Amino acid sequence: MSARTVTIKENILGANEKKADSNRKLLDSHHVLMINMMSASGSGKTSLILRTIDRLGGKYRIAVIQGGVAPSIDGDKITRQSVPAIPINTGGGCHLDAQMIRQALEALDLDRTDLILIENVGNLVCTADFDLGAHKNAVILSIPEGDDKPRKYPMMFVEADVVLVNKADVLPYFDFNLEAFPEIIRGLNPSAGVFAVSAKTGDGLDCWFSWLEEALG
Amino acid sequence: MHEQSMVESLLTLALNNAEKANARKIVSIHLVIGDFTGVMEDAVNFYFGFLSQDTKAAGARIRYTHVPGQLRCRDCDTLFPLQKHDYHCPECEGKRVEIVGGRELYIENMEVE
């Protein structure tokens, strides 16, 4: 049989994007806001989530979806705060995808949820390419990681709706130019909010909480 | 990057299209990859080799077209390719740039029998 050419021109991650759109529709029908929190490993995602539950947990019904190699370690910290935490063990996989999130959404009572925080796998490369169906992306970068990360991993920062520069309390010990940093982000992504915060001391977190409350509408 | 799950999606897409085209066998797949995706050819070939076993895509060759990172200066509109992680506009030295190319990740076409 002779060979023939079939034109395809289809995005390889198209199936994931369809599933992500369907997740967003499901959430919208239950009036739930979902935030995808992405960062490298060790930037303070879990601590920021705990702070957020502390501050907003009395006002909004919060649930957490956690992806990772050992999500139960972080999950134990979350459930101590009496909010639902769904662990997704990616088995070493470097990102979450929309289908994994769908299964987690099915395990949650969406009618009794206002806000879902996704703690994505610690990774500044892969997570940016997979739409999960979240309404907003929050990217966390901590001071010790350095201010050159947007140049190395631009996609993560292009996809961000808000960038939290965490561990601002250790700024004096590192060569991180915090003054110039917001301009670097806004050069790539003019609409992104940039807030310096410390999950440890609580400094700057009010900006993040206000941003979240505005998104919650 | 995440070549394993990317190759799983690639294979599903290729096999679905082979089915639609009533093909018996996929001979080659033309893949378009933007530099910002970070997809590595060696890793794709490696995963494709074993994931495609016992399918219509077994033994298919993957042909690659790479799309370089393309930037647009937000100040003077100059289009320029990304080189060595330098995000400065070569015309006006502006630092505010939009990424306009290099995120591609799709199958252009395939050769089937």
Side-chain angles (χ1 to χ4, degrees), chain A residues 139-174:
Chain A
V139 173
I140 298 118
L141 176 75
S142 62
I143 296 290
E145 293 167 59
D147 55 14
D148 56 350
K149 293 302 167 289
R151 289 203 304 155
K152 287 186 173 173
Y153 310 104
M155 281 315 145
M156 185 57 77
F157 296 92
V158 166
E159 293 297 331
D161 294 290
V162 63
V163 177
L164 301 177
V165 184
N166 193 23
K167 308 188 188 179
D169 50 303
V170 299
L171 184 63
Y173 306 101
F174 291 89

Side-chain angles (χ1 to χ4, degrees), chain A residues 1-13 94-95 97 125-130 150-155 158-159 183-184 186-190, chain B residues 1-2 5-6 9-10 13 17 20-24 27 31 36-37 74 84-87 95-99 103 105-113:
Chain A
M1 197 186 272
S2 64
R4 60 200 156 96
T5 301
V6 184
T7 303
I8 299 182
K9 289 191 189 292
E10 252 188 86
N11 185 345
I12 285 166
L13 300 178
C94 53
H95 61 274
D97 65 33
V125 182
C126 311
T127 50
D129 286 327
F130 290 82
R151 289 203 304 155
K152 287 186 173 173
Y153 310 104
M155 281 315 145
V158 166
E159 293 297 331
E183 277 315 298
I184 295 173
R186 292 196 191 109
L188 280 169
N189 178 353
Chain B
M1 222 259 184
H2 28 260
S5 63
M6 186 243 147
S9 306
L10 161 76
L13 187 59
N17 277 280
K20 269 191 241 168
N22 287 321
R24 185 178 58 84
V27 180
L31 194 57
F36 281 122
T37 65
R74 293 186 200 270
K84 295 182 182 165
H85 302 287
D86 185 358
Y87 288 81
K95 292 183 197 168
R96 304 181 325 112
V97 297
E98 181 188 0
I99 294 172
R103 299 196 71 177
L105 188 56
Y106 64 90
I107 302 180
E108 175 71 34
N109 58 39
M110 358 184 256
E111 217 183 332
V112 298
E113 282 177 357

Side-chain angles (χ1 to χ4, degrees), chain A residues 173-192:
Chain A
Y173 306 101
F174 291 89
D175 296 328
F176 192 111
N177 188 342
L178 190 56
E179 219 165 292
F181 190 73
E183 277 315 298
I184 295 173
I185 298 296
R186 292 196 191 109
L188 280 169
N189 178 353
S191 60

Side-chain angles (χ1 to χ4, degrees), chain A residues 118-132:
Chain A
I118 299 173
E119 182 171 350
N120 212 317
V121 181
N123 184 327
L124 275 179
V125 182
C126 311
T127 50
D129 286 327
F130 290 82
D131 185 357
L132 303 179

Side-chain angles (χ1 to χ4, degrees), chain A residues 2 13 18 22 33 36 60 67 81 83 98 135 145 151 192 203:
Chain A
S2 64
L13 300 178
K18 272 184 206 151
S22 137
L33 177 77
N36 180 11
Y60 303 97
Q81 304 241 7
V83 303
H135 299 90
E145 293 167 59
R151 289 203 304 155
D203 283 348

